[in-house]
Amino acid sequence: MNDTGSPGGQGTLAGRAAIVTGAGNGLGRAESVALARAGALLVLNDLPGDAVAETAALVAAAGGQAVVRAGDIGAWETGERLVGDALAAYGRLDILVNNAGLLRDRMVFTMTAQEWDLVLRVHLRGHFVTTRHATAHWREASKRAGGPVYARIVNTSSEAFLLGSPGQPNYAAAKAGIAALTVSTARACARYGVRANAICPRARTAMTADLMPPPPAGEPDPLDPGHVTPLVTYLAGPAAERVNGEVFVVHGGVAAVMNPPSIRAVFRADTPDGMWTLPAVHAALAGAFADGSPDSPGFACTETMSLATETIGFG
């Protein structure tokens, strides 16, 4: 694998060790192969089975190297073992790509406790477990080095948290938590060299296939997971040194970086002491929301749905 010299080209991750979770299928598999083509040495995680071994074979076919650690990503010891595997196999850990996930869609009024707990465990706890062990390693490495080390985290959130997907309260909550975890990690660990970012991908995978229209006949599929991997590889690379704590919506040829939440309006209590009373709240808010609709939640970012597939930035 040659280094093309371009910021996102082959070889830009040469010698770097990367953990990829959810590597058995879909986006995780595509990310694994893309990272391998860029030169990364991989530790692949998914549940036990043939799928993650098949990904390892694809990595090898792409000229890369991978070891497999099957296991429940929500388990504390899985995170420990993934970091240990990277250090044992390659003597280092540079990149963590968190992707493992599943769906248990249901309206909030019919969702079971098990459906809630499972989705939060795999998505949010799974991201935490690996982040906890990787950042602990990088913090100690930074102390030994006397300065920042090379460390990249790419987390997988979703537009479900931006939109408040009505049939996915567990998934939307988990993905919102992942975005918050990403920003918190970026703030806490920047001094050690960690750069943590999140993507909200649109990609046709086994998990999402039933939620998307069929691919176009005889044409490239704009929702192919391969269209997401250039951004992931870039964020894992040295050129992304100044990108930290960001959330991207990415699909096809589009990469949109999201603004943080902003203040829409400020209300002041019109009372003698300037403090709220119930009548003062009514006087301040009743007119402001007079034209609102209960069917259109205000704290939702629907603008991303208008993003068309076009070639900008990455790809």
Side-chain angles (χ1 to χ4, degrees):
M1 290 180 286
N2 298 322
D3 189 342
T4 65
S6 64
Q10 289 182 329
T12 56
L13 301 180
R16 302 289 187 190
I19 294 169
V20 182
T21 72
N25 293 285
L27 188 57
R29 174 173 286 182
E31 290 166 340
S32 299
V33 173
L35 291 171
R37 286 175 175 157
L41 309 167
L42 301 179
V43 177
L44 306 178
N45 165 261
D46 214 313
L47 292 173
D50 296 335
V52 71
E54 292 171 2
T55 301
L58 291 173
V59 166
Q65 184 177 345
V67 297
V68 171
R69 168 64 67 179
D72 172 12
I73 196 57
W76 183 264
E77 57 270 19
T78 300
E80 285 184 306
R81 290 167 181 165
L82 286 169
V83 173
D85 287 343
L87 298 177
Y90 310 123
R92 61 191 300 153
L93 173 63
D94 306 281
I95 300 159
L96 169 62
V97 179
N98 283 311
N99 181 68
L102 48 71
L103 294 177
R104 293 293 185 271
D105 291 353
R106 199 179 296 275
M107 300 299 284
V108 67
F109 42 80
T110 56
M111 181 163 288
T112 67
Q114 293 75 16
E115 289 166 338
W116 175 272
D117 291 344
L118 178 62
V119 169
L120 269 290
R121 174 183 174 83
V122 174
H123 287 274
L124 185 53
R125 180 181 166 91
H127 274 63
F128 160 70
V129 165
T130 53
T131 297
R132 160 60 171 83
H133 292 294
T135 54
H137 164 73
W138 287 324
R139 179 172 178 263
E140 290 304 312
S142 175
K143 288 182 176 180
R144 291 194 301 270
V149 297
Y150 187 100
R152 301 284 189 270
I153 299 175
V154 183
N155 288 332
T156 305
S157 184
S158 169
E159 288 175 272
F161 102 86
L162 297 170
L163 301 168
S165 299
Q168 298 180 307
N170 47 3
Y171 184 71
K175 292 306 191 180
I178 287 168
L181 172 64
T182 302
V183 177
S184 178
T185 302
R187 286 183 178 275
C189 300
R191 72 187 74 177
Y192 308 121
V194 177
R195 304 293 179 260
N197 297 283
I199 62 169
C200 299
R202 292 184 204 170
R204 193 184 311 281
T205 67
M207 190 176 80
T208 63
D210 292 341
L211 305 175
M212 295 180 171
E219 298 179 16
D221 185 359
L223 297 177
D224 188 297
H227 298 311
V228 175
T229 62
L231 176 58
V232 174
T233 305
Y234 180 85
L235 292 174
E241 168 66 20
R242 295 185 177 274
V243 185
N244 196 30
E246 302 288 359
V247 177
F248 295 85
V249 173
V250 56
H251 63 95
V254 175
V257 62
M258 302 304 299
N259 274 325
S262 59
I263 296 173
R264 191 193 323 169
V266 177
F267 304 95
R268 305 290 184 187
D270 186 13
T271 57
D273 63 359
M275 298 296 109
W276 287 115
T277 64
L278 181 56
V281 171
H282 176 76
L285 270 61
F289 293 96
D291 296 328
S293 170
D295 296 322
S296 300
F299 198 79
C301 180
T302 58
E303 290 87 346
T304 63
M305 298 308 296
S306 65
L307 290 173
T309 300
E310 56 191 71
T311 303
I312 59 170
F314 305 95

